[in-house]
Amino acid sequence: MKNITLADDRKITAHCLSCAIVEGTVQPNGGTIYETKFFHAHQDVAYPVRGLVILASKRHVKCLDELTEEELNDYIHTLHLIRKAQRKVLGIEQVYYFYNEDTTHHFHTWMVPRYD
């Protein structure tokens, strides 16, 4: 178990932060943005930037190439839906996408808005 301090100073104990978020044990600010069979979208619990979305796999996979074909299709479709909503609802014109493969838990992508 790890002791984790969130951006809003809440202190939690969890084996895996992503699992705790997906299972509903930990509620990120703003709650769940979008959820599918394979992915969970929420605001980053460490960096509460308006419009920043994390799209995380529900199962433990570290790399893009570990996703099944069904998960990959769901991932691209969900990424597309969230991006459209960022533009339509929040007026975000540009987004940076980040993902790395040195995570110890869940494959995830940060969708970080670019503000002037």
Side-chain angles (χ1 to χ4, degrees):
M1 294 295 253
K2 298 177 205 167
N3 294 317
I4 304 164
T5 302
L6 306 180
D8 60 6
D9 286 329
R10 282 183 291 159
K11 295 180 186 347
I12 63 154
T13 302
H15 236 342
C16 172
L17 179 58
S18 290
C19 282
I21 291 170
V22 167
E23 294 165 358
T25 307
V26 172
Q27 192 71 289
N29 289 336
T32 299
I33 294 171
Y34 192 78
E35 188 170 9
T36 71
K37 179 179 175 183
F38 303 110
F39 290 91
H40 187 274
H42 54 274
Q43 186 171 36
D44 192 324
V45 296
Y47 304 101
V49 174
R50 182 177 182 266
L52 188 156
V53 176
I54 291 181
L55 181 58
S57 64
K58 289 186 175 181
R59 70 181 181 98
H60 284 236
V61 286
K62 292 168 62 172
C63 303
L64 184 66
D65 63 339
E66 293 177 7
L67 296 175
T68 66
E69 196 67 32
E70 191 177 11
E71 287 170 326
L72 183 60
N73 289 333
D74 187 51
Y75 168 72
I76 293 299
H77 178 74
T78 304
L79 203 65
H80 180 255
L81 288 177
I82 293 169
R83 180 60 190 104
K84 283 176 69 172
Q86 284 175 313
R87 182 183 312 278
K88 183 178 179 181
V89 176
L90 300 174
I92 296 168
E93 292 300 320
Q94 294 178 328
V95 170
Y96 296 110
Y97 298 87
F98 299 98
Y99 107 89
N100 58 31
E101 296 184 346
D102 64 355
T103 182
T104 58
H105 49 289
H106 296 253
F107 168 81
H108 58 283
T109 301
W110 291 274
M111 300 173 71
V112 182
R114 180 183 180 275
Y115 293 110
D116 294 334

